Amino acid sequence: MKLSHDQIRGLIPEYIRKSLPDDERFCFEEHLDRCDECSRTLCLLREIAEAEVPDPGELFWKTLPQKIRVIAKEQPAPGFFRQHFSLRLLPFAPLLLLVMLIAASAPLWKQRQLQYDPLFRDPLEYSLLEYGDISEKRIRLPRASLSVEEAELLEPPGSTYHREFVSLSSDELGRLYKTLSEKDPKGG
Amino acid sequence: MDEDNRLIERYIAGDDRAIEELVVRYQKQIYAFVYRMTKDMEEAKDLTQKTFLNAVKGIRDFRRASSFKTWLYQIALNSSLNHIRRNQPEEVEIDESIAGNQRGALSVLIEKERKEDIRNSMDGLPERQRLAVILRAYEGLSCDETAGVMGCSEGAVKAHYHNGVKKLKEILRNKGHETVA
């Protein structure tokens, strides 16, 4: 067997790994004896191949396979749905399409219905609205903070002592109340 | 290779244990390859795990155009290159005077440093040449397998490999390692 220099040069990694067949290995070693360049290259590549890789430890080697299995199980593969559902769902495809069409046309149908609804034809027509749910309720106002004019609006003039009462301060009103309750409890 | 395909079929059929067997078969090779690419043990551990997870994720799409081993190396290579490109290492300057003192004092360190030098000289190679040398010399992949991993022809692999070795010798010669180069 005869191998060229270039062929021998390309076989150096295989020679280092001892994966050459016997006849090639014999030819290779014969060439090495007389080729300084290939010998040097072999030395260099041996040094490179023997370069140490730090061992991450037995724990890493033992746990990695289990870790990969557990994580892979947790996240379904991208082909999962394609594999499990695609062919099984095929008979239901027309039905699915119909449902999708109905679902897609529902908003359009609703909008069309609203166009003919008198209530929504003109939103400014408030006479169409119902007020059945609104009830009247008197709201008590804090009288002390009201001006005379405002108080007059609430209590029309003519009622007895109205103006006098309104003009009194809270202290005067307090004293008046006390006097009335002591002296003339029946009042006017 | 048949064993790999059998394990893949078992996994796809629902046997989770098959993936463990696949990982056990290749974890040391992939870790060593990734370490040689990154030179960082912690990163190599992370990238090894990432490689296997990506492989498991895409195992149903594995078309068997190449061997499982080649496909796995491709994934590891892509993960490593992405990592290297994302984290470009900063240049660290070594204090020559300190290094020189150590060299003179401890002969054990000299040999260690020489080996380190040879290993570091790989960094001076262009990416494709470096990859061809790593896959052929370190990992012991055949030309065909290396071509599969690198996504090029066998001829291109041979060219990258030979040019890489030639340049490596040149770098080492410049560093004063005449015996090797």
Side-chain angles (χ1 to χ4, degrees):
Chain A
M1 189 172 191
K2 186 85 183 159
L3 292 171
S4 69
H5 172 76
D6 283 346
Q7 283 174 311
I8 294 282
R9 209 168 49 166
L11 288 174
I12 294 175
E14 278 75 15
Y15 180 76
I16 294 169
R17 276 202 322 277
K18 296 183 177 134
S19 61
L20 282 182
D22 285 346
D23 53 343
E24 279 186 15
R25 186 171 52 83
F26 180 73
C27 190
F28 185 93
E29 284 168 352
E30 210 177 46
H31 178 82
L32 276 187
D33 289 339
R34 53 194 154 79
C35 182
D36 193 43
E37 193 200 330
C38 284
S39 301
R40 280 167 179 263
T41 311
L42 177 66
C43 280
L44 172 66
L45 292 182
R46 259 203 182 125
E47 291 250 21
I48 288 173
E50 283 166 6
E52 288 166 16
V53 173
D55 190 355
E58 204 53 39
L59 186 68
F60 176 73
W61 300 126
K62 276 187 178 169
T63 52
L64 183 67
Q66 294 165 7
K67 213 191 269 183
I68 300 293
R69 179 175 59 82
V70 171
I71 298 173
K73 205 175 179 180
E74 278 170 5
Q75 32 180 253
F80 181 79
F81 285 100
R82 195 177 54 204
Q83 196 193 5
H84 289 84
F85 296 109
S86 59
L87 291 175
R88 289 174 201 183
L89 280 178
L90 204 60
F92 301 103
L95 187 68
L96 198 69
L97 197 68
L98 192 68
V99 170
M100 281 166 72
L101 271 172
I102 292 169
S105 62
L108 289 171
W109 181 76
K110 197 171 180 180
Q111 197 179 1
R112 195 171 173 167
Q113 197 187 27
L114 287 177
Q115 279 175 356
Y116 294 103
D117 192 326
L119 193 64
F120 290 95
R121 199 165 44 208
D122 183 1
L124 295 174
E125 282 186 22
Y126 56 87
S127 60
L128 293 165
L129 296 171
E130 289 178 8
Y131 294 97
D133 57 336
I134 299 172
S135 59
E136 194 178 337
K137 193 178 178 183
R138 282 190 73 120
I139 300 164
R140 185 174 287 217
L141 290 170
R143 292 189 176 232
S145 63
L146 295 177
S147 64
V148 177
E149 288 74 21
E150 285 168 339
E152 273 182 10
L153 284 170
L154 290 170
E155 293 288 338
S159 60
T160 322
Y161 307 120
H162 170 75
R163 275 179 187 278
E164 287 79 358
F165 284 160
V166 166
S167 62
L168 292 175
S169 69
S170 59
D171 291 336
E172 289 168 331
L173 273 171
R175 281 200 297 278
L176 179 65
Y177 175 73
K178 204 174 172 185
T179 312
L180 285 172
S181 55
E182 283 170 2
K183 289 185 177 175
D184 191 6
K186 288 178 183 174
Chain B
M1 299 305 150
D2 289 342
E3 179 64 13
D4 289 345
N5 285 335
R6 198 176 57 77
L7 288 169
I8 292 167
E9 291 303 330
R10 263 177 56 196
Y11 175 67
I12 291 172
D15 181 2
D16 292 332
R17 298 275 164 194
I19 209 68
E20 277 190 39
E21 286 183 44
L22 269 174
V23 175
V24 170
R25 274 171 80 88
Y26 291 108
Q27 60 181 0
K28 289 191 177 175
Q29 290 177 53
I30 294 297
Y31 166 77
F33 171 61
V34 174
Y35 175 78
R36 279 163 184 147
M37 294 292 287
T38 58
K39 288 184 178 173
D40 184 318
M41 192 171 87
E42 289 307 314
E43 294 296 347
K45 280 160 76 176
D46 285 349
L47 287 170
T48 304
Q49 182 176 321
K50 202 174 168 187
T51 299
F52 281 109
L53 282 175
N54 285 338
V56 171
K57 214 184 272 181
I59 208 159
R60 288 180 173 84
D61 296 325
F62 172 53
R63 298 181 196 286
R64 293 170 178 80
S66 61
S67 68
F68 178 71
K69 184 183 170 185
T70 306
W71 185 66
L72 204 57
Y73 266 95
Q74 273 179 333
I75 297 172
L77 171 64
N78 290 338
S79 304
S80 308
L81 289 179
N82 282 343
H83 172 79
I84 291 165
R85 282 166 196 163
R86 263 202 309 270
N87 310 292
Q88 290 288 346
E90 286 175 25
E91 292 285 327
V92 179
E93 287 200 11
I94 299 165
D95 189 337
E96 282 299 324
S97 61
I98 296 167
N101 288 340
Q102 285 177 339
R103 241 179 258 134
L106 303 159
S107 58
V108 184
L109 274 178
I110 295 172
E111 182 59 19
K112 201 177 171 186
E113 197 176 326
R114 196 180 67 90
K115 286 188 173 179
E116 192 66 33
D117 234 9
I118 293 172
R119 228 173 301 161
N120 287 342
S121 59
M122 294 282 284
D123 294 342
L125 300 182
E127 194 174 275
R128 305 287 284 174
Q129 289 179 10
R130 183 165 160 254
L131 194 56
V133 175
I134 287 178
L135 290 169
R136 291 280 288 130
Y138 276 119
E139 302 304 319
L141 261 61
S142 67
C143 269
D144 179 35
E145 287 172 327
T146 308
V149 174
M150 289 176 67
C152 60
S153 67
E154 276 190 52
V157 167
K158 281 176 186 168
H160 286 314
Y161 167 73
H162 288 307
N163 291 334
V165 171
K166 205 172 153 187
K167 187 148 190 190
L168 204 55
K169 282 180 176 176
E170 202 181 300
I171 294 167
L172 288 169
R173 205 175 293 128
N174 291 339
K175 284 184 176 178
H177 296 288
E178 290 293 334
T179 47
V180 181

